[in-house]
Amino acid sequence: MKGLFITFEGTEGSGKSTQITLLAERLRATGRIVRTLREPGGTPIGEEIRHTLKHSEANHAMTSETELLLMNASRAQLVREIIRPALAEGETILCDRFYHSTLAYQGYGRQLDLEQVRHIIDFAVGETQPDLTLLLNVSVQVSEQRRQARQALLFPREKNPNKPAAPLPFDETLRDRMEEADRSFFERVEKGYEAIAANEPERVRLIDATQSLEQVRDSIWNAVSPLVC
Ligand code: TMP
């Protein structure tokens, strides 16, 4: 079986992780070996880089250039340690974010030079490109509400009447440097994603993630099924 590489993109709160789980189950039911990954992260080295980028108390002074290089250091490791060998074995890979996130967040969001950003991405990924990218689209307002709801659950936990009944995953209980950016940053990220979708219509499928969970799941399956059936 030929390997298949699908990436998921979108701003915070677009529901990527739920949809990745649903798609993985559906693909496994067709007999495929499915591996789910995330960026930054996905390897032991990448997970350490993820911690530095998002949660470490030492990351307050991180520059945009460092952020760009660390995102791509994590990616270079993931591509060579996991993605290429798995694709060569015919596995299906579902990756929560890939290089389009760098274009949107470091290119458009942090306003680094797009040509330089592309060169760094090329160095990290080489020939390893997704067969399909699903861009889950919610408005900046919806994304902001979901980010704020998460923050409200975290700080201060003991005084918070909305404290979740079930414990949050470890990652979710930590401060996240990326979420500390201001609204204009997230507006630029959203514009960036729009431009990316317009530039790569053959690879990037826009999915309206304001629909119900089931509708989003079905839109995703419509995009994926031609590649697997
Ligand atoms: P998430 O896994 O919860 O989506 O967190 C990853 C964060 O890192 C998110 O804010 C998007 C950001 N990011 C970038 O800025 N550039 C990248 O290249 C990647 C992969 C993620």
Side-chain angles (χ1 to χ4, degrees):
M1 200 179 283
K2 192 177 160 297
L4 182 63
F5 183 22
I6 300 174
T7 60
F8 282 70
E9 295 285 350
T11 54
E12 279 72 7
S14 52
K16 287 182 279 91
S17 25
T18 308
Q19 292 297 337
I20 288 173
T21 305
L22 293 173
L23 180 61
E25 280 167 12
R26 190 149 191 183
L27 286 169
R28 285 188 184 114
T30 71
R32 290 193 161 247
I33 296 174
V34 180
R35 198 186 278 252
T36 60
L37 300 170
R38 69 171 178 184
E39 277 211 339
T43 63
I45 291 171
E47 289 296 322
E48 288 198 1
I49 295 173
R50 179 183 177 92
H51 183 78
T52 302
L53 278 160
K54 284 171 59 107
H55 310 302
S56 162
E57 276 312 313
N59 72 16
H60 288 276
M62 188 179 293
T63 69
S64 302
E65 289 79 4
T66 307
E67 183 178 288
L68 169 69
L69 292 168
L70 287 178
M71 292 291 178
N72 283 282
S74 170
R75 177 166 302 134
Q77 188 67 31
L78 185 66
V79 163
R80 287 158 187 80
E81 187 177 328
I82 310 269
I83 296 178
R84 284 180 189 167
L87 290 175
E89 290 294 315
E91 289 186 25
T92 297
I93 292 180
L94 307 182
C95 195
D96 189 343
R97 303 188 178 281
F98 197 54
Y99 68 79
H100 293 101
S101 282
T102 302
L103 290 171
Y105 284 76
Q106 283 67 54
Y108 289 88
R110 303 285 190 217
Q111 298 179 297
L112 292 174
D113 180 83
L114 271 178
E115 268 318 290
Q116 285 184 338
V117 170
R118 286 202 179 92
H119 283 308
I120 306 270
I121 289 172
D122 285 348
F123 183 64
V125 306
E127 300 295 302
T128 306
Q129 303 280 333
D131 298 297
L132 174 68
T133 295
L134 298 159
L135 171 50
L136 274 57
N137 196 30
V138 291
S139 67
V140 174
Q141 290 78 4
V142 169
S143 169
E144 191 168 55
Q145 278 162 15
R146 294 187 189 171
R147 261 198 326 278
Q148 284 169 354
R150 197 180 84 82
Q151 294 295 320
L153 292 175
L154 298 185
F155 307 115
R157 311 251 348 233
E158 60 288 352
K159 290 192 200 135
N160 193 330
N162 298 324
K163 203 169 161 184
L168 292 166
F170 174 66
D171 254 24
E172 298 285 308
T173 64
L174 301 173
R175 165 189 155 262
D176 184 341
R177 188 185 57 87
M178 296 302 298
E179 292 191 359
E180 291 168 357
D182 59 20
R183 185 167 214 224
S184 59
F185 170 81
F186 289 103
E187 283 168 357
R188 289 195 298 276
V189 170
E190 184 176 273
K191 290 255 159 358
Y193 272 132
E194 280 168 21
I196 288 163
N199 288 343
E200 290 187 55
E202 64 302 328
R203 191 193 315 275
V204 180
R205 282 288 290 270
L206 205 56
I207 307 284
D208 175 3
T210 59
Q211 303 174 99
S212 71
L213 187 139
E214 292 76 20
Q215 285 169 321
V216 176
R217 178 201 61 197
D218 293 346
S219 305
I220 287 175
W221 186 246
N222 284 342
V224 171
S225 53
L227 302 179
V228 294
C229 298

